[in-house]
Amino acid sequence: MIYKNSPIPIYYQLEELIKGLIEKGDLKPGDALPPEREYAEKYQISRMTVRQAFTDLVNEGYLFRQQGKGTFVAERKIEQGLQGLTSFTEDMKSRGLKPGNKLIKFEIIPADSQIAGHLKIAEYGPVYEISRIRLADDVPMALETNYISANLIKGLTEGIVNKSLYAYIEGQLNLRIDSASQTIESSIASQSEANFLNISKGDPVLLIQRNTYLLDGTPLELVKSVYRADRYKFMIKMKR
């Protein structure tokens, strides 16, 4: 219901009405919304007001537009907190989603100067290069590449990597993962990234680099990830 005499702006009321339908499941991901004209006629409001509501919901990630086709309900973004250090597998399980991997590359390579610097090892020292597509309920979420010293973490196999790397490091090797530093920046998908993530070239992505350390300060890994910006968002709580 839209209340025209309410102090709450009409466009905001319409936004909340549509959000409610999405959250209750009456509108599901992929569903097409009626044209702006139908909303305007139904609630006796201007099409400009409807357009503003749609635009706000697109910006918030509830809807998406396809040129010449209309406006549709978007897949809800997975929210990850930035306060704690967890693995992708742990994140997905905590949200009731089935984590998965599609291994693209698993090999030992000589560390170049950049990788060696991050891992505090000698240049050309052996490192695992592990590239995986990270899945949630079988949907690609991220393209992730890990670099780990082969002299530090021994015995890695494709089978271990396809389960949980952190579980192996802590549970089998009895090493304590302590902290990490992480940077996040926006970018657009290259053609190869788009192919792996089932998106289009030029779509927005999040570039994330993580340096992870053991309890004694030893660098454990350098991780470079490309996350789908349409399916993932990061959240942090701040206290004054």
Side-chain angles (χ1 to χ4, degrees):
M1 182 68 69
I2 299 294
Y3 299 97
K4 295 184 180 178
N5 295 325
S6 170
I8 300 173
I10 293 174
Y11 73 85
Y12 184 79
Q13 292 185 55
L14 183 57
E15 288 175 31
E16 292 301 301
L17 188 152
I18 295 172
K19 282 182 187 178
L21 293 174
I22 293 172
E23 289 165 359
K24 287 191 298 182
D26 294 335
L27 284 173
K28 296 179 173 58
D31 284 353
L33 267 69
E36 294 174 2
R37 170 182 49 79
E38 290 190 22
Y39 277 101
E41 292 174 354
K42 180 177 181 179
Y43 296 108
Q44 294 298 296
I45 57 179
S46 72
R47 290 185 63 175
M48 186 68 70
T49 298
V50 178
R51 187 171 298 117
Q52 182 174 353
F54 277 22
T55 298
D56 288 349
L57 291 172
V58 168
N59 292 336
E60 291 179 38
Y62 283 91
L63 307 177
F64 68 94
R65 291 188 174 106
Q66 285 190 343
Q67 189 69 33
K69 293 185 178 180
T71 305
F72 301 84
V73 178
E75 294 281 355
R76 294 304 305 273
K77 291 186 178 184
I78 294 172
E79 185 177 273
Q80 178 181 341
L82 292 174
Q83 290 90 346
L85 175 55
T86 55
S87 69
F88 181 89
T89 298
E90 291 165 342
D91 286 335
M92 296 306 104
K93 285 183 176 179
S94 71
R95 286 159 178 75
L97 301 172
K98 182 183 74 174
N101 300 302
K102 182 177 180 181
L103 190 62
I104 300 169
K105 180 186 288 187
F106 178 83
E107 60 185 58
I108 294 178
I109 64 169
D112 62 23
S113 59
Q114 183 191 51
I115 294 172
H118 282 286
L119 297 179
K120 299 294 189 290
I121 61 174
E123 190 172 356
Y124 307 118
V127 297
Y128 294 103
E129 182 179 32
I130 307 163
S131 292
R132 295 173 287 178
I133 299 173
R134 304 297 243 159
L135 309 168
D137 285 348
D138 298 321
V139 177
M141 291 290 161
L143 174 62
E144 179 183 279
T145 301
N146 298 59
Y147 298 95
I148 301 173
S149 170
N151 290 327
L152 176 65
I153 304 300
K154 298 180 179 180
L156 278 186
T157 65
E158 291 188 11
I160 291 169
V161 168
N162 277 324
K163 293 179 181 177
S164 176
L165 187 57
Y166 279 16
Y168 172 75
I169 291 169
E170 294 188 313
Q172 300 298 315
L173 301 184
N174 295 316
L175 295 173
R176 173 78 178 275
I177 300 170
D178 181 63
S179 62
S181 60
Q182 186 164 274
T183 61
I184 304 173
E185 58 183 303
S186 61
S187 186
I188 57 175
S190 66
Q191 186 61 67
S192 62
E193 291 165 348
N195 291 342
F196 284 128
L197 296 175
N198 289 349
I199 57 178
S200 299
K201 179 182 178 182
D203 279 357
V205 293
L206 298 170
L207 300 182
I208 300 171
Q209 180 171 303
R210 175 188 284 188
N211 293 74
T212 310
Y213 303 91
L214 298 177
L215 186 60
D216 63 1
T218 301
L220 169 64
E221 64 179 349
L222 167 66
V223 186
K224 296 184 177 182
S225 304
V226 182
Y227 276 81
R228 288 177 55 166
D230 66 328
R231 296 302 311 275
Y232 225 82
K233 65 180 177 180
F234 291 86
M235 178 272 295
I236 186 169
K237 291 181 179 178
M238 295 181 287
K239 188 173 183 180
R240 183 177 175 84

